[in-house]
Amino acid sequence: MNEAAARPRVWSIAAHRGFADALVAGLIPRYREDRFGLARLTLLLPSQRAIRTVTEAFVRVSGAGLLLPRMAVVGDLDLDETLGPLLDPIGAGLDIPEAVDPVWRLLRLARILGDVLGTEAPGEAALLRQARGLAQGIDRLLVEGIHPLQLLDETVVGIASDLSVHWIENTRVFASVFTIWQAELESMGQIDAPDRRNRLLDHAAKTWRDRPPAHPVIAAGVTSASPAVARLLRTVADMPDGGVILPDLDLALDAGVWDALGSAGGPDGAVFERGDVVTHPQYHLKLLLNRMGIARGEVQPWHRAGLSPAPPERSRAISNLFLPPDASAAWVSLEAKDRRLSGVRVMECANPEEEAQAIAVLVREALEVPERRVAVITPDRSLAARVVAHLGRWNVVADDTAGKPLPQTAAGRLLLQLAEAVAERVAPVPLVALLGHPLVQAGERRPRWLERVRQLDLVLRGPRPGPGLPAIRQSVEKFEKRFAGLTEWWSGVEDLLFPLVSLEGALPLDAALVALGEAGEALCGIGLWAQADGRCLAQFVERWREAAGGVPTMIECAELPALLRDAMDEISVRPPYGSHPRLAIYGLLEARMSRADLVICGGLTEGTWPGNPAPDPLLAPPILRALGIPGADFRIGLAAHDLAAALGAPEVVLSHAQRDAAGPAIPSRFLLRIQAMLGEQLRVESRAVDFARALAHAEPAPHYPQPKPMPSADQRRVPIAVTALDRLRGDPYQFYASAILGLRSLDPLDADPTPAWKGTAVHEILQDWHEAGGVPGELVPFAERRFSEMSAHPFMRTMWKPRLIDALHWIEEETDRLADEGREVLAVERKGEIVVDGIRIHGRADRIDRLADGTLAVVDYKTGMPPSGKMVEQGFSLQLGLIGLIAQGGGMDGVAGEPSRFEYWSMGRNKERGFGYMKSPVKTTARQSGIPLEDFLVKTEDFLREAIARWLLGTEPFTARLNPDLPGYSDYDQLMRLDEWQGRERKGDSGEDAT
């Protein structure tokens, strides 16, 4: 055999040629014989996405029908079945054990890890999270062919002993779990997926080395540098009809620079040594060549080009762009042709939203050109989602080929909402979110269903009811008069959620998944599983249910959402069809081998492209280096290679934002290199940014004045509640919004108990106790019983109940003491009204007592601090006085007499005792603030008549925050747009028309 025949058949396709199109352009003339030449060819490709990319390239380049070659993924766990007779001509089959199921493996590793950690083991969700990281670490070792015993090598043990305590402990845990797991696999007769992949690749290499296939085999685009892949590629390169085609190997790189990259697994050094430039885009290719035993000089250039190649000088510029730090000093002496990136532009935007809009503008403009293909490449999935949304403005349908995480799809979110409802014992927020999910009761029934869900939403506003479905039923039944038929509807909901009733405490994971699936199907029907996301969800549930049945796993209900979310995050739902045929939105992995006329690289900021290096949580970097495992920085080199490949397109836009959600963003180190090398030659894309800003531009909103609505005379004549006079005098706009417009604020779901809610609860307890006879010693037991019956969450009851009980003790003691003095309770929660100047004044008295002298005492219960005497003196907090006027005027049934005492009974903290004290707004000494008793009702009536004359019978505007320093309610701050004008009032603003 001559020297030429013995030379390995290895080629490299330069970045500017476009890998997939150039590959196909060279394969078709070389192997196309009549009709079946290409069909006899076998292509080994790196991924399923690469198969699709190459298939599309064949369609573009051929121009006619043809039989495609057989294409297989190098890392396929079923490579023996894919290649079939090509791998085993006699069909004897392989003696390679099957790979263990990955979900079963994860659950089993979690059990082993829990046993190793013992009492320090976390909850099930956190344990599975740690087991997932451990599994990834095991895979990294197996890919490199590392056996557990190698962790006990003297070199590794010596390095570990010099590390900090936590690294030593992590290494011990990892080695223990790894050893136990390998022993279990051996006893089961199964192996890990990376181990099976390595064995298949080694079997293929040995078979083809001993008996080369009769037809050609080409490995194209494979850049994995794992030892097993390298051995197979060397075998393919040595075959008479074989060949290896590498992407973007820089054959023009200076030999000194190539050597400066480091040993990279060369014969004279370790796999990874200190000083190796692992972040260089050529480093992993050098590692692959060294493991193949091939020198860079033996690699030949591929001379075919794709349909739309970039200028040849582009590859030279890309090579110079990524020179190592020491060699980059040569930039100052580079000729123009060696740094020319004529088709590359840099686009800087203010924020990710503007960046997405600018990218959408570029895409929209490019698609106007017939047959022009566009690719958007970004590792930032949120940026990709924004671009897709903005393209919808022009009815350009785009799909993110990197897929959408299963939890972010409709079907995945439904399963998580079911789990959240279980974890929070059917709390209002997850319950309403679940019942309003777009897949629930889809079809003709949905409008009526949503109307009931909205009614349930109103029912559940305020503090959280007790746990479970029965507590929700209690709340619903209270609103049956307001929402007729709601109780019957809720009964149907309970039937749909019946599978979830038994899910409490710790339960088997497989049983939980079955119950969640049954409840989901009961709510949504088969529509839950009908679309692509539903099919992915069905596969997920079935795989985890089956695995959990094999590895019994108990999970606390509270941990169920976190466990499922972590597991579902690993699954991407990719769109099956329907996007624009000339537009693709890729992640970095999906973009490899792809080609387009315009490539837009988005999200070029540090931490995104390249991503932040994530160190292995269990094995320290020195240990990984000693074992020959790529470290965290190795991925930066892969990201640099992805960018170098993208820069080979005819037209490229490199985009980044100045800020992200967290604050100022640092441009990618790759962008900074481009700016440093090109200097003034750098082309900037500003036109698309200007268009994006113009699309998002809105004229500045005019100054919004302080609202001063002026309703008509008829609209002004409304009744005044005794609690509303404060609003009318202090903040007339709030009175206008509540009494004239009839607007009421809604408490949020799961709201903290408001003072109003607490006050209502206390008033109901005291009212029921008084109506039951007010028996001494019975108030606290009565309250205890009511608390147990209340539809309130136990946490809220536990936090607030002790304070209330202490205050109720004081109320009972004080009532008994006053009774001994001849004071009796005359009326409790008694409604009354009078008419003043033609306006009805109405209200409810908390309590009115008859004193021994026949006069009346007006009592108002307060759960917090009562108003000060100064407030009353200024004409605010007049509720006691108005109740007194109603009682004085005979406006209450069964109440007659002259009020002589006005008291606040507060349940707030008392300095002398725990909780509960009495305070009066009546001024009794010269040093006190307030209104003297003899003037109390007179002054109250004066303030009332003044307010009626000014606002209800007069023409005074209902000015917002008329007394800004007065503490008050904030229910209508948003309605009055308070933040837009407070502190910015300008002279001359009338605002009479503002509402």
Side-chain angles (χ1 to χ4, degrees), residues 778-796:
E778 288 295 322
L779 176 56
V780 171
F782 189 86
E784 294 275 9
R785 291 193 298 271
R786 287 301 307 271
F787 264 108
S788 64
E789 298 170 0
M790 285 175 62
S791 178
H793 196 269
F795 178 78
M796 187 277 299

Side-chain angles (χ1 to χ4, degrees), residues 373-387:
R373 290 176 293 148
V374 184
V376 177
I377 304 174
T378 177
D380 186 349
R381 306 284 31 100
S382 63
L383 177 63
R386 282 188 167 114
V387 173

Side-chain angles (χ1 to χ4, degrees), residues 704-720 724-725 727-741 839 947-963 976 981 990-995:
Y704 189 80
Q706 182 180 15
K708 299 177 181 179
M710 292 284 291
S712 67
D714 291 339
Q715 292 172 331
R716 290 171 180 264
R717 298 182 67 88
V718 293
I720 301 178
L725 183 59
R727 292 192 179 191
L728 180 57
R729 290 180 52 80
D731 190 349
Y733 186 90
Q734 293 209 34
F735 180 89
Y736 164 78
S738 61
I740 297 178
L741 297 183
I839 301 297
I948 292 174
R950 291 176 62 184
W951 286 287
L952 300 193
L953 302 181
T955 59
E956 187 92 5
F958 288 82
T959 306
R961 290 297 171 95
L962 183 62
N963 298 279
M976 68 175 67
W981 56 263
S990 60
E992 280 78 5
D993 295 332
T995 59

Side-chain angles (χ1 to χ4, degrees), residues 821-840:
E821 297 178 0
R823 178 166 165 172
E824 63 173 333
V825 178
L826 183 62
V828 177
E829 299 297 327
R830 183 69 55 84
K831 291 182 179 180
E833 63 178 63
I834 58 173
V835 177
V836 177
D837 295 339
I839 301 297
R840 186 170 71 95

Side-chain angles (χ1 to χ4, degrees), residues 552-608:
T553 303
M554 300 299 291
I555 176 75
E556 290 287 339
C557 286
E559 295 188 84
L560 193 57
L563 183 149
L564 293 178
R565 187 178 293 106
D566 288 344
M568 293 164 67
D569 274 334
E570 297 184 334
I571 301 175
S572 291
V573 180
R574 290 177 171 81
Y577 54 83
S579 60
H580 196 287
R582 293 187 285 118
L583 170 62
I585 299 179
Y586 296 122
L588 296 189
L589 292 176
E590 292 76 23
R592 293 174 184 173
M593 299 179 63
S594 65
R595 189 61 167 177
D597 300 293
L598 169 63
V599 172
I600 304 171
C601 299
L604 278 164
T605 57
E606 283 296 306
T608 302

Side-chain angles (χ1 to χ4, degrees), residues 640-872:
H641 190 264
D642 292 331
L643 181 62
L647 286 171
E651 186 179 353
V652 182
V653 176
L654 305 176
S655 173
H656 75 101
Q658 295 173 332
R659 297 181 63 87
D660 58 18
I666 301 174
S668 169
R669 64 191 71 186
F670 309 141
L671 266 182
L672 297 178
R673 277 180 161 268
I674 293 175
Q675 294 171 354
M677 188 182 81
L678 296 186
E680 295 181 357
Q681 297 181 18
L682 179 67
R683 297 180 59 196
V684 177
E685 173 59 57
S686 58
R687 182 167 166 269
V689 178
D690 293 340
F691 276 133
R693 290 173 179 170
L695 286 169
H697 175 73
E699 291 296 330
H703 173 79
Y704 189 80
Q706 182 180 15
K708 299 177 181 179
M710 292 284 291
S712 67
D714 291 339
Q715 292 172 331
R716 290 171 180 264
R717 298 182 67 88
V718 293
I720 301 178
V722 295
T723 56
L725 183 59
D726 297 346
R727 292 192 179 191
L728 180 57
R729 290 180 52 80
D731 190 349
Y733 186 90
Q734 293 209 34
F735 180 89
Y736 164 78
S738 61
I740 297 178
L741 297 183
L743 300 178
R744 298 289 182 271
S745 62
L746 288 176
D747 289 333
L749 290 169
D750 255 356
D752 291 331
T754 62
W757 186 91
K758 293 179 181 179
T760 300
V762 169
H763 282 64
E764 289 178 354
I765 291 174
L766 291 171
Q767 179 183 3
D768 292 346
W769 175 65
H770 281 298
E771 291 177 352
V775 181
E778 288 295 322
L779 176 56
V780 171
F782 189 86
E784 294 275 9
R785 291 193 298 271
R786 287 301 307 271
F787 264 108
S788 64
E789 298 170 0
M790 285 175 62
S791 178
H793 196 269
F795 178 78
M796 187 277 299
R797 287 185 292 183
T798 302
M799 293 295 292
W800 184 50
K801 176 181 172 181
R803 302 181 181 185
L804 176 62
I805 293 298
D806 192 44
L808 291 178
H809 272 297
W810 173 82
I811 290 176
E812 189 173 36
E813 293 170 1
E814 189 68 11
T815 301
D816 291 343
R817 183 184 68 81
L818 294 175
D820 293 340
E821 297 178 0
R823 178 166 165 172
E824 63 173 333
V825 178
L826 183 62
V828 177
E829 299 297 327
R830 183 69 55 84
K831 291 182 179 180
E833 63 178 63
I834 58 173
V835 177
V836 177
D837 295 339
I839 301 297
R840 186 170 71 95
I841 313 300
H842 63 94
R844 183 196 301 264
D846 291 352
R847 172 175 156 184
I848 295 180
D849 291 354
R850 175 82 66 185
L851 301 180
D853 60 1
T855 59
L856 304 178
V858 181
V859 177
D860 186 25
Y861 293 120
K862 295 291 184 184
T863 55
M865 181 180 296
S868 65
K870 185 177 181 180
M871 290 274 293
V872 177

Side-chain angles (χ1 to χ4, degrees), residues 210-234:
D210 297 339
R211 296 188 303 274
H215 301 295
V217 177
I218 299 293
V222 180
T223 58
S224 171
S226 69
V229 171
R231 291 190 291 268
L232 176 63
L233 294 184
R234 179 57 197 252

Side-chain angles (χ1 to χ4, degrees), residues 53 189-190 206 232 253 287 405 413 480 549 616 660 771 848 850 957 962 983:
T53 300
Q190 292 182 308
K206 181 179 183 304
L232 176 63
L253 189 66
L287 175 62
R413 184 61 196 147
E480 179 62 26
D616 192 294
D660 58 18
E771 291 177 352
I848 295 180
R850 175 82 66 185
L962 183 62

